[in-house]
């Protein structure tokens, strides 16, 4: 029996900067998980992933990550994605310096 689809966001890394980025409802890339498009429809999610996979000149490693809807925006549903929202943990820089 196939696994039931759960809500997702589309994520990747920016090719040049390496930053974690997310597909927005407008069809572009944003740096904040809360601004990501929230896919509760499997077909829409796989269509967005297919479109992202054609952008090899801008991104690397696109994939659909589990998400949940909370307080009017998507939030990570797994600790890995929660960790990726703040960036590297070896010293405060990038996204971590903002918190």
């Amino acid at each position: 029996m196939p696994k039931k689809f759960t809500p997702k966001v589309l994520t990747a890394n920016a090719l040049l900067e390496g930053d974690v980025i997310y597909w927005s409802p407008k069809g572009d890339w944003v740096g904040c998980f809360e601004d990501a498009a929230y896919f509760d429809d499997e077909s829409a999610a796989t269509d967005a992933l297919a479109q992202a996979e054609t952008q090899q000149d801008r991104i690397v490693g696109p994939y659909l990550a589990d998400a949940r809807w909370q307080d009017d925006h998507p939030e990570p549903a797994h600790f890995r994605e929660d960790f990726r929202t703040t960036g590297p943990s070896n010293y405060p820089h990038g996204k971590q310096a903002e918190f």
Side-chain angles (χ1 to χ4, degrees):
M1 179 177 205
K3 185 178 176 183
K4 182 182 175 197
F5 179 80
T6 57
K8 310 282 186 208
V9 297
L10 174 56
T11 185
N13 288 86
L15 181 63
L16 297 179
E17 300 88 7
D19 292 340
V20 176
I21 52 177
Y22 306 93
W23 189 256
S24 81
K26 294 179 182 179
D28 57 355
W29 295 100
V30 295
C32 182
F33 196 101
E34 291 181 2
D35 296 333
Y38 182 78
F39 297 103
D40 55 8
D41 175 72
E42 185 173 12
S43 178
T46 55
D47 287 349
L49 178 59
Q51 187 174 357
E53 289 173 337
T54 68
Q55 299 181 15
Q56 295 178 0
D57 60 331
R58 297 181 58 208
I59 63 163
V60 63
Y63 67 93
L64 296 168
D66 290 336
R68 63 178 172 264
W69 192 256
Q70 191 164 331
D71 299 328
D72 296 324
H73 57 79
E75 289 194 354
H78 191 273
F79 73 90
R80 179 179 190 260
E81 296 311 316
D82 189 40
F83 178 79
R84 291 182 78 232
T85 63
T86 58
S89 60
N90 53 350
Y91 60 92
H93 63 284
K95 290 181 182 181
Q96 283 191 336
E98 296 172 12
F99 289 104

